[in-house]
């Protein structure tokens, strides 16, 4: 993809068409631009396998036979293998199955650092250790993205508790961010070239993560060189002007009032009254188009995009091996643990 091609395509889009690309038009998809050959961007959960399809505007399952995909070991189990190659193979399975189901982005892996045992999504996350998390995440992402589907590391950043997880203000000093919370995300960007990052629900030091330009622009884009899509967690955007000006590209939510999302009709009004510059909208669309070209979704390369497959015997064998290798047996050498025969 040449920059000239991207800019030419961007120049042909109307304001309404651009807006349709940056927010949900269905619960798991944005709006395409048919006249220019730009398809909708279709996403799906998640770390444990491609999620069942829902109706476009409600959470009732469609119930198709293609819903029966492979079921992956949870990320915690996979990380317990300490096996990068197995993580890579598992990523390949997830990427192939996402493409086999017609998805453009799989909302995985979950790489939040485990800090509280009460976090309801710990099973989706890799580890409490930033180095181990980074190593396994890089392998997973590379495996996923070999299949012309975007991985999406989540949730950026410090979304580690269940209580008030949609609005909690996580207070974190700079050293802790750099040593604990950032490394896995940074490595995902710089070593794995991840195509998407999901912004978290919570506030970070007073500002919602999906509206936080210190986090999304200065750190993620300027310092780390991220050129992919920043997508919100579902319902994590709260303010049109803040989100419009922030380095957030796609807003998703759990409700069907798609035109009322912050980055939908309300953003159009803020652009018209010049509260938000048109350049902010163009930057969002530019990032989306860049990833679409990488995924062979548009342009001449689209005919060469991989089709994927799901629930094959080969996939099951890889996942069975991953599950088997995740089982850890501990030896009580030197009787470090006070366990007697009565405990056996």
């Amino acid at each position: 993809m040449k920059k000239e091609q991207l800019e030419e395509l961007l120049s042909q889009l109307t304001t309404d068409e651009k807006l349709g690309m940056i927010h949900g038009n269905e619960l798991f998809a944005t709006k395409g631009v048919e006249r220019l050959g730009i398809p909708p961007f279709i996403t799906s959960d998640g770390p444990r396998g491609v999620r069942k399809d829902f109706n476009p505007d409600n959470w009732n399952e469609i119930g198709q036979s293609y819903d029966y995909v492979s079921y992956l070991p949870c990320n915690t189990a996979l990380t317990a293998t300490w096996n990068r190659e197995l993580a890579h193979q598992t990523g390949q399975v997830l990427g192939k199955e996402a493409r086999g189901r017609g998805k453009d982005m799989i909302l995985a892996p979950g790489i939040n650092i485990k800090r509280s045992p009460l976090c309801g999504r710990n099973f989706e996350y890799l580890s409490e250790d930033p180095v181990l998390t980074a190593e396994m995440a890089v392998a997973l992402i590379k495996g996923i993205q070999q299949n012309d589907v975007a991985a999406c590391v989540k949730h950026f950043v410090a979304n580690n508790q269940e209580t008030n997880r949609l609005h909690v203000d996580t207070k974190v000093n700079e050293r802790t961010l750099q040593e604990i919370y950032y490394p896995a995300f940074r490595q995902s960007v710089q070593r794995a070239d991840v195509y998407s990052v999901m912004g978290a629900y919570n506030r970070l030091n007073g500002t919602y993560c999906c509206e936080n330009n210190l986090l999304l622009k200065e750190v993620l884009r300027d310092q780390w060189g991220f050129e992919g899509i920043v997508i919100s967690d579902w319902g994590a955007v709260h303010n049109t002007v803040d989100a419009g000006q922030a380095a957030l590209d796609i807003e998703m939510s759990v409700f069907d009032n798609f035109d009322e999302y912050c980055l939908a009709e309300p953003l159009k009004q803020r652009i018209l009254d010049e509260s938000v510059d048109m350049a902010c909208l163009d930057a969002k669309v530019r990032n989306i188009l860049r990833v679409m070209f990488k995924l062979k979704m548009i342009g001449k390369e689209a005919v060469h995009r991989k089709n994927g497959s799901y629930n094959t015997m080969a996939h099951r064998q890889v996942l069975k091996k991953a599950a088997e290798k995740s089982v850890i047996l501990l030896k009580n050498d030197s009787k470090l643990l006070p366990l007697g025969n009565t405990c056996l």
Side-chain angles (χ1 to χ4, degrees):
M1 182 273 299
K2 295 181 179 179
K3 182 178 180 181
E4 294 79 11
Q5 291 177 281
L6 192 157
E7 294 300 328
E8 172 63 22
L9 191 54
L10 179 63
S11 70
Q12 297 178 56
L13 290 164
T14 67
T15 298
D16 286 339
E17 289 170 338
K18 293 174 185 177
L19 288 167
M21 293 176 63
I22 68 167
H23 68 85
N25 185 54
E26 299 179 7
L27 291 177
F28 281 92
T30 63
K31 192 173 185 179
V33 184
E34 186 175 358
R35 71 179 184 89
L36 295 177
I38 301 173
F41 206 102
I42 302 172
T43 71
S44 179
D45 279 324
R48 299 209 64 183
V50 187
R51 194 173 186 177
K52 291 183 177 182
D53 280 344
F54 298 94
N55 288 316
D57 58 356
N58 64 66
W59 292 89
N60 295 322
E61 296 175 0
I62 296 174
Q64 299 293 332
S65 61
Y66 57 63
D67 281 336
Y68 296 96
V69 299
S70 301
Y71 199 41
L72 278 67
C74 69
N75 278 351
T76 306
L78 183 63
T79 306
T81 70
W82 291 66
N83 189 321
R84 298 182 187 89
E85 178 56 31
L86 198 51
H88 183 262
Q89 293 173 10
T90 301
Q92 287 178 313
V93 169
L94 185 55
K96 285 180 182 178
E97 300 225 345
R99 280 303 305 134
R101 287 282 306 282
K103 311 305 181 184
D104 304 308
M105 179 190 296
I106 189 72
L107 306 175
I111 66 172
N112 287 94
I113 299 299
K114 298 184 184 187
R115 300 304 297 266
S116 167
L118 302 180
C119 178
R121 303 183 77 172
N122 273 343
F123 72 98
E124 288 191 350
Y125 303 148
L126 292 165
S127 170
E128 71 280 7
D129 182 87
V131 175
L132 178 59
T133 297
E135 290 298 315
M136 299 299 279
V138 167
L140 271 165
I141 292 162
K142 288 181 177 179
I144 291 169
Q145 294 188 166
Q146 286 179 350
N147 298 279
D148 295 335
V149 63
C152 180
V153 289
K154 59 186 189 182
H155 310 81
F156 193 53
V157 64
N159 186 234
N160 306 95
Q161 72 175 54
E162 196 65 23
T163 303
N164 195 27
R165 73 184 174 103
L166 301 184
H167 304 285
V168 63
D169 187 3
T170 309
K171 304 289 188 181
V172 190
N173 63 39
E174 186 64 23
R175 178 176 178 179
T176 305
L177 285 170
Q178 294 292 345
E179 295 183 1
I180 303 296
Y181 290 108
Y182 282 168
F185 286 99
R186 183 172 62 247
Q187 296 297 322
S188 296
V189 170
Q190 297 181 340
R191 288 174 53 199
D193 187 27
V194 69
Y195 292 162
S196 181
V197 173
M198 182 185 290
Y201 280 124
N202 54 287
R203 295 177 173 93
L204 178 67
N205 297 326
T207 304
Y208 280 111
C209 289
C210 288
E211 301 165 6
N212 190 326
N213 255 342
L214 171 64
L215 185 64
L216 302 182
K217 186 177 187 302
E218 293 185 30
V219 174
L220 183 60
R221 296 200 185 275
D222 295 344
Q223 295 179 20
W224 299 351
F226 180 67
E227 294 186 337
I229 293 170
V230 177
I231 187 170
S232 78
D233 206 340
W234 269 233
V237 178
H238 302 272
N239 183 281
T240 293
V241 173
D242 291 344
Q245 293 176 338
L248 172 76
D249 302 312
I250 297 176
E251 176 192 3
M252 301 300 288
S253 191
V254 298
F255 301 112
D256 64 356
N257 58 334
F258 305 114
D259 291 338
E260 298 175 14
Y261 286 13
C262 290
L263 296 188
E265 187 63 25
L267 180 59
K268 181 178 181 179
Q269 297 306 314
R270 299 290 74 78
I271 290 173
L272 290 174
D273 68 20
E274 299 184 348
S275 300
V276 177
D277 196 283
M278 178 64 77
C280 295
L281 176 57
D282 285 346
K284 300 176 192 300
V285 177
R286 187 177 289 113
N287 291 329
I288 295 167
L289 289 174
R290 186 182 298 113
V291 171
M292 283 186 161
F293 274 110
K294 288 182 178 181
L295 296 177
K296 304 184 181 71
M297 293 176 63
I298 51 179
K300 295 180 180 179
E301 290 297 309
V303 295
H304 301 298
R305 192 180 190 194
K306 295 178 181 178
N307 294 320
S309 58
Y310 60 91
N311 201 13
T312 67
M313 180 58 69
H315 292 180
R316 295 175 203 168
Q317 290 172 341
V318 170
L319 301 178
K320 180 174 181 289
K321 181 180 177 181
E324 291 172 345
K325 295 293 184 181
S326 72
V327 178
I328 305 298
L329 297 178
L330 300 178
K331 291 183 179 181
N332 193 19
D333 289 342
S334 303
K335 296 185 178 180
L336 292 175
L337 300 176
L339 302 177
N341 292 334
T342 56
C343 299
L344 299 179

